[in-house]
Amino acid sequence: MSAHTFWDGPYDGRCGPGRGIPFGSSSVQHGSAVFEGIRAYASTTGEPHLFRLDDHLIRLLGSARELGIRHAYDLDRLRELVIEATAASGLHDCYVRPGLFAADPVLSIDVGRLPFTLGVEVWPMAAPGAAARGPGVRLTVSPWCRPSPSSFPPRVKAVGTYVTSALAKSAAVAAGYDDALQLDPGSGRVAEATVSNVFLVRDCALHTPWLCDSLLAGITRDTVLTLARELGLAVYQGPVETEDVRAADEVFLTGTASELVPVAALDEHAYAAERPVFDTLATAFRNATTGARFTHPGWLTPVHATARTTTHQGA
Ligand code: PMP
């Protein structure tokens, strides 16, 4: 799978499409960069649309602000460039990763000294739904907790923090599982999975860990909460213990790339193969992302209608 790379920076031979950013960059050496993952879907009209683009870009700007990253972008400019990059890729169903990176090789961890530039990677990503129809993933509980809020702000989507996710995921896979739940380090409650949020269904009501614990405020999580309310389901955000997950009728994960993924088992405990609430929500999600139903203002941004000619493209 090859991606299309866009770089909103100088073509001075050091960085840009096909070259990436220098190995000596602080973003590479220290993980000081922030990023987003956004889906574009071929909608019912056949045109690609970016799903919840502004919400992702607002989170990107918030991540940058929280880390003290210096850059020259506002929401309008980011939107314009991400649409441009997506349009230039020619892809319809794809995964779009904008990030703010420090390209200059500078031996410093002081992000305030480094100028950050936008890079966008566009990956082909098949039309969704396959995971939702599959048997589900097998989870374990990771010994690796999420970062403590006193070590790192949990709402920030920064490159460096993914080492924690990588640790938990790799250990789970090595032990024969697909993924792992990670706990909040202070409370010991369930926070999220390694790159996704977690939901459980109990007596037809939907539960998910509250944002008081150390988890990313997922945009798919928010979409599912919104759709569930519209479908008339009782929805609770609150403390979730590992035992609550084990005792649930249905469990599923949510994330932009993976969408809604059912959980088949937690350690030795298997869940029922029938998942009526999950199935209803997965269908509603599919309808919302293609614009067939459950449309919300601002959720679908058309790609071609608004795109200008791109100047920076490489594959
Ligand atoms: N938690 C973590 C740690 C993640 O990396 C992701 C993926 N961005 C999520 C949750 C889900 O967030 P979203 O739905 O915004 O993709």
Side-chain angles (χ1 to χ4, degrees):
M1 184 164 70
S2 71
H4 298 253
T5 309
F6 304 82
W7 186 253
D8 184 38
Y11 282 77
D12 59 1
R14 285 186 301 111
C15 57
R19 295 195 183 85
I21 57 174
F23 181 60
S25 145
S26 185
S27 292
V28 175
Q29 298 288 335
H30 309 122
S32 23
V34 292
F35 72 106
E36 277 299 316
I38 309 169
R39 274 276 202 162
Y41 296 99
S43 71
T44 46
T45 62
E47 289 296 302
H49 285 69
L50 286 150
F51 188 63
R52 301 200 64 172
L53 173 62
D54 276 16
D55 294 313
H56 281 284
L57 296 180
I58 289 166
R59 188 168 70 182
L60 183 69
L61 288 167
S63 295
R65 189 170 50 247
E66 191 100 29
L67 292 195
I69 282 175
R70 282 197 297 127
H71 62 86
Y73 304 95
D74 61 12
L75 179 60
D76 288 344
R77 184 67 183 139
L78 283 179
R79 187 190 305 112
E80 193 174 58
L81 289 170
V82 170
I83 290 172
E84 224 179 273
T86 312
S89 77
L91 297 167
H92 281 209
D93 285 304
C94 54
Y95 182 64
V96 181
R97 275 232 159 139
L100 292 168
F101 289 86
D104 297 336
V106 175
L107 272 179
S108 172
I109 55 165
D110 176 5
V111 293
R113 285 184 52 197
L114 309 167
F116 280 71
T117 305
L118 181 77
V120 186
E121 194 101 307
V122 186
W123 298 84
M125 197 167 269
R133 288 190 298 273
V137 292
R138 295 177 56 247
L139 298 183
T140 187
V141 180
S142 181
W144 299 105
C145 291
R146 297 304 302 167
S148 158
S150 56
S151 310
F152 197 83
R155 307 295 168 255
V156 168
K157 196 166 162 67
V159 171
T161 43
Y162 276 80
V163 177
T164 308
S165 295
L167 257 179
K169 169 82 176 186
S170 310
V173 171
Y177 298 93
D178 298 306
D179 202 352
L181 294 176
Q182 290 190 268
L183 307 179
D184 177 87
S187 65
R189 293 186 289 253
V190 173
E192 58 184 336
T194 59
V195 288
S196 48
N197 295 115
V198 61
F199 282 84
L200 49 109
V201 179
R202 208 168 46 213
D203 301 327
C204 290
L206 196 62
H207 300 257
T208 196
W210 57 3
L211 298 178
C212 300
D213 286 327
S214 180
L215 55 123
L216 189 74
I219 289 166
T220 319
R221 174 186 184 276
D222 181 72
T223 304
V224 166
L225 289 171
T226 305
L227 295 174
R229 287 190 195 101
E230 289 176 15
L231 287 162
L233 289 172
V235 172
Y236 301 99
Q237 301 180 63
V240 172
E241 306 286 348
T242 310
E243 275 321 303
D244 298 328
V245 181
R246 226 178 289 278
D249 304 324
E250 302 176 41
V251 179
F252 63 93
L253 307 178
T254 64
T256 298
S258 55
E259 304 186 322
L260 276 63
V261 178
V263 173
L266 174 60
D267 292 322
E268 68 293 341
H269 176 80
Y271 297 99
E274 296 74 38
R275 314 166 178 126
V277 175
F278 171 82
D279 290 344
T280 304
L281 286 167
T283 303
F285 184 81
R286 178 80 185 123
N287 284 329
T289 54
T290 56
R293 276 188 68 198
F294 300 107
T295 50
H296 282 248
W299 276 15
L300 292 174
T301 303
V303 172
H304 289 142
T306 36
R308 295 183 303 127
T309 325
T310 190
T311 47
H312 309 321
Q313 181 179 4

